[in-house]
Amino acid sequence: MQQTVQFSGIIPPVSTLFTAEGQLDKSSTAALIDDMIHAGVDGLFFLGSGGEFSQLNADERKAIAEFAIEHVNRRVPVLIGTGGTNARETIELSQHAQRAGADGIVVINPYYWKVSEQNLIRFYQQVAESVTLPVILYNFPALTGQDLTPALVKTLADTCANIVGIKDTIDSVAHLRSMIQTVKGAHPHFTVLCGYDDHLFNTLLLGGDGAISASGNFAPQVSVKLLQAFRDGDLAQAAQYHQTMLQIPQMYQLDTPFVNVIKEAISLCGRPVSTYVLPPASPLDESRKAQLKSLLQQLKLC
């Protein structure tokens, strides 16, 4: 029997909201989750880059995962980011996500060291073998310093039945096209999701499955409507939403890391949330807040 794609559509990488003391702000995070589900998203991804996983310790990551899974309460699929710099912690967090009731895990390749292809394959095999959950690979070469090539990803899909997809956060239509042709060509059920807002339309046109992109936090309606128009065969309408999506990444250039930009955008778009970010990130200054507000207004997002 032919397997179907398990995770597709619009799956926002949820911002982790904190109190001014750096603790999980449960009420604001719950409200943000509810807003996105109400907007019609197809799933939620917690503890990705925008979820500030790299600034959290393992216990904090576990607590956030437990809270998120409990609050979503099966309304949409929940993906938990479990990757990091070493295999032992990634396996520990992956097994915790499974026990906590996640629907799948998202695993970035180890960063700091560049890892040989053989070691990278073994890393992912060890993680996949440690759980029965579906595993989505997370490719973000701009931050990890190492690309997950389509050939390597196909090898992993060939050898591990529960490696079922990839979040391809790369500013390259050619990479997305090759990923779709190489991996989905051999495994039609394999999910290819882009990580950049402005590549959603390209990904869908090429035969991919959707996006895990930051604008889902503050403007989920744009990507949700783009996907719906595409599925309805209304490419002219989809292209109109694509024009908005093309402009959104300008916002992320306001600071690095841009986790603060996302939180300010959520606030400016009408959800009063704490915009506290964990160091080494810092709050957005007033002049950049003004630039962000201007961009959001130009795009009619708030």
Side-chain angles (χ1 to χ4, degrees), residues 157-233:
D158 289 344
T159 58
C160 298
N162 61 328
I163 292 181
V164 301
I166 189 166
K167 176 187 179 187
D168 205 15
T169 305
I170 187 164
D171 195 13
S172 164
V173 177
H175 198 281
L176 285 159
R177 180 179 62 232
S178 181
M179 192 69 70
I180 290 162
Q181 290 176 342
T182 302
V183 191
K184 282 184 82 74
H187 303 278
H189 65 280
F190 191 89
T191 303
V192 177
L193 301 158
C194 65
Y196 284 124
D197 298 286
D198 48 341
H199 283 305
L200 170 58
F201 194 36
N202 298 329
T203 300
L204 296 172
L205 287 168
L206 289 165
D209 301 288
I212 299 181
S213 59
S215 67
N217 285 278
F218 57 87
Q221 69 281 2
V222 184
S223 49
V224 167
K225 288 177 178 175
L226 191 163
L227 177 66
Q228 191 56 55
F230 180 84
R231 287 178 172 167
D232 291 343

Side-chain angles (χ1 to χ4, degrees), residues 87-263:
R88 289 183 303 162
E89 185 174 86
T90 300
I91 288 168
E92 179 189 337
L93 291 169
S94 299
Q95 291 175 338
H96 172 268
Q98 179 162 306
R99 289 194 303 274
D103 295 288
I105 55 172
V106 181
V107 185
I108 193 99
N109 44 310
Y111 45 95
Y112 182 71
W113 281 110
K114 282 197 171 75
V115 180
S116 72
E117 187 165 307
Q118 186 179 1
N119 285 334
L120 198 51
I121 289 168
R122 186 71 199 124
F123 164 77
Y124 275 118
Q125 288 173 338
Q126 286 174 322
V127 174
E129 288 163 7
S130 76
V131 292
T132 56
L133 282 178
V135 178
I136 291 181
L137 311 174
Y138 185 178
N139 188 36
F140 201 166
L143 294 189
T144 64
Q146 188 163 12
D147 181 39
L148 300 181
T149 65
L152 182 141
V153 172
K154 180 180 178 294
T155 298
L156 289 169
D158 289 344
T159 58
C160 298
N162 61 328
I163 292 181
V164 301
I166 189 166
K167 176 187 179 187
D168 205 15
T169 305
I170 187 164
D171 195 13
S172 164
V173 177
H175 198 281
L176 285 159
R177 180 179 62 232
S178 181
M179 192 69 70
I180 290 162
Q181 290 176 342
T182 302
V183 191
K184 282 184 82 74
H187 303 278
H189 65 280
F190 191 89
T191 303
V192 177
L193 301 158
C194 65
Y196 284 124
D197 298 286
D198 48 341
H199 283 305
L200 170 58
F201 194 36
N202 298 329
T203 300
L204 296 172
L205 287 168
L206 289 165
D209 301 288
I212 299 181
S213 59
S215 67
N217 285 278
F218 57 87
Q221 69 281 2
V222 184
S223 49
V224 167
K225 288 177 178 175
L226 191 163
L227 177 66
Q228 191 56 55
F230 180 84
R231 287 178 172 167
D232 291 343
D234 190 346
L235 294 187
Q237 183 70 62
Q240 280 194 304
Y241 290 118
H242 178 54
Q243 287 183 311
T244 300
M245 297 293 275
L246 284 172
Q247 302 303 320
I248 285 174
Q250 294 176 71
M251 299 173 194
Y252 309 148
Q253 293 166 13
L254 291 171
D255 202 6
T256 304
F258 61 77
V259 290
N260 52 1
V261 176
I262 306 302
K263 292 182 183 184

